[in-house]
Amino acid sequence: MLFCFLIDSFIWVSAWDGLNVQADLTSWLAPIVWEGTFDPKLIDSIYKQQNITVATTVFALGKYTVFLQDFLESAEQNFFVGFRVHYYVFSDHPEQVPDVKLGGERKLTVMTVNSSSRWQEMSLGRMKRLEMLIESGLVNDADYLFSLDVDTKFYGRWGAETLGDLIGVIHAWYYNSPCVLFPYERRPESQAFIPYSEGDYYYGGAVLGGSVKCVYQLAKTCREQLDIDAAKSIEAAWQEESHLNKYFLYNKPSKLLSPEYSWDDQKMKPQEIKIIRFSQVLKNYAEVRPNI
Ligand code: UD2
């Protein structure tokens, strides 16, 4: 177990008794899902008996609609195959949402939203839209809800092993870093502030999920915190990802997904990562974002 603390403004990292980057339980006894920790057929069959529906939101605003085709096609090959899945695609260019052939019992609803001139707003507006989607009652038929980045692709199975009340993913770039190096928001003026003395995991903003009730609480709280920051003209270091990290620090996820579930195509696969299931694709930021 790793503890970080500050003494006389020096940062010490103690109890470095083997930072086990591949532990499969957290210190609050939540499972961390790695290849080899579950039986895919068994776990799918358990949830299939429950006849569940998985809602999945994805946001494609501005030029990010170019990522939709690969995202949806690869999801159809890998994401909850054989389950009832309902995609909600939020876009300011609904006409650019590709017509991807979906498997039986899978559907897609396009949600038209207003454009924005700043990519940061498109990214952090997701919490508010998630909150509103749940309040609208549209996802009442769903048991679980995921929100995923669109500039991504599925490369491997993603199934019922990822289900639980509150789900976060460990960020691919920080799963083997000490917590003092996590890019949490460090300014006390922000609601996302986390002092150097605290922290356990750094979670990626590309994936969040859980029961509809728990995701609602998360989205609502993060939106409220984002609004307080906005009123003070503060934007957290990593926008809503910073607020998500704050939320998960005090509202622990009931299950964590290993970085297999949110890799980055820019990052070489080290030996300890057995499989990459979902990954951020390479993108030319200058080409796809409306501002720097
Ligand atoms: C990181 C996070 C991302 C988010 C962001 C906040 C990972 C892998 N990614 O990615 O989840 O927390 O930091 O700064 O942890 N979007 C649009 N149109 C735009 C810009 C963004 O639709 O013009 C949406 C889209 O769904 C995209 C998401 O917002 O996937 C996040 O934006 P990003 O992928 O450009 O952010 P990035 O790569 O810095």
Side-chain angles (χ1 to χ4, degrees):
M1 180 63 185
L2 180 74
F3 292 105
C4 309
F5 55 91
L6 265 167
I7 296 178
D8 292 333
S9 48
F10 287 101
I11 297 162
W12 295 88
V13 178
S14 80
W16 192 275
D17 54 0
L19 170 61
N20 183 359
V21 296
Q22 281 193 287
D24 49 26
L25 269 188
T26 66
S27 56
W28 60 94
L29 299 181
I32 307 178
V33 186
W34 294 94
E35 174 70 357
T37 59
F38 61 94
D39 177 338
K41 277 199 184 131
L42 177 64
I43 200 149
D44 276 1
S45 72
I46 294 168
Y47 282 91
K48 269 189 190 143
Q49 282 166 20
Q50 297 174 22
N51 205 18
I52 59 161
T53 297
V54 179
T56 304
T57 60
V58 64
F59 294 76
L61 284 84
K63 294 187 179 157
Y64 276 53
T65 50
V66 297
F67 299 114
L68 274 171
Q69 184 100 22
D70 271 2
F71 172 88
L72 290 168
E73 282 178 358
S74 64
E76 284 303 285
Q77 297 300 314
N78 297 290
F79 184 69
F80 286 103
V81 175
F83 284 88
R84 200 178 300 124
V85 170
H86 192 159
Y87 303 99
Y88 292 86
V89 178
F90 287 76
S91 185
D92 50 354
H93 294 292
E95 74 291 351
Q96 290 175 15
V97 176
D99 190 12
V100 169
K101 190 173 164 14
L102 303 179
E105 292 211 282
R106 297 170 77 97
K107 54 182 174 174
L108 186 153
T109 301
V110 179
M111 311 287 291
T112 304
V113 293
N114 292 333
S115 288
S116 170
S117 55
R118 292 182 69 238
W119 70 265
Q120 292 91 338
E121 274 157 29
M122 302 193 205
S123 182
L124 51 78
R126 290 184 291 176
M127 289 296 182
K128 187 175 175 185
R129 287 179 170 139
L130 203 46
E131 180 189 6
M132 286 165 69
L133 174 74
I134 301 171
E135 278 175 357
S136 74
L138 269 177
V139 288
N140 275 352
D141 62 337
D143 302 279
Y144 296 97
L145 176 55
F146 282 94
S147 180
L148 304 175
D149 267 16
V150 72
D151 52 325
T152 52
K153 202 171 164 178
F154 292 85
Y155 294 115
R157 173 209 154 86
W158 177 317
E161 73 280 5
T162 63
L163 297 174
D165 282 342
L166 186 61
I167 308 295
V169 71
I170 302 172
H171 200 292
W173 290 93
Y174 297 100
Y175 72 97
N176 51 5
S177 303
C179 55
V180 286
L181 298 182
F182 293 166
Y184 290 147
E185 172 55 62
R186 302 298 190 182
R187 292 168 299 172
E189 307 83 71
S190 169
Q191 297 298 306
F193 169 63
I194 297 178
Y196 283 101
S197 54
E198 291 184 50
D200 33 51
Y201 294 93
Y202 189 76
Y203 300 93
V207 174
L208 63 88
S211 66
V212 175
K213 191 174 150 205
C214 289
V215 173
Y216 177 69
Q217 204 48 52
L218 178 159
K220 184 173 185 294
T221 307
C222 289
R223 193 268 306 153
E224 286 166 357
Q225 303 302 306
L226 282 157
D227 282 352
I228 297 173
D229 272 11
K232 292 193 276 181
S233 301
I234 299 173
E235 194 166 272
W238 286 97
Q239 291 80 36
E240 85 295 344
E241 185 175 273
S242 304
H243 290 271
L244 181 70
N245 272 278
K246 177 76 175 268
Y247 187 82
F248 281 153
L249 181 58
Y250 300 116
N251 304 271
K252 301 289 193 205
S254 57
K255 189 182 268 185
L256 277 67
L257 307 183
S258 72
E260 293 168 7
Y261 292 86
S262 191
W263 200 249
D264 187 335
D265 283 1
Q266 282 185 69
K267 193 171 161 65
M268 226 181 60
K269 182 174 98 56
Q271 246 185 350
E272 73 261 18
I273 301 289
K274 296 195 190 84
I275 173 173
I276 292 170
R277 304 168 189 279
F278 183 63
S279 184
Q280 221 185 347
V281 297
L282 300 178
K283 63 179 184 275
N284 179 341
Y285 284 95
E287 244 170 46
V288 293
R289 284 181 171 173
N291 63 305
I292 305 166

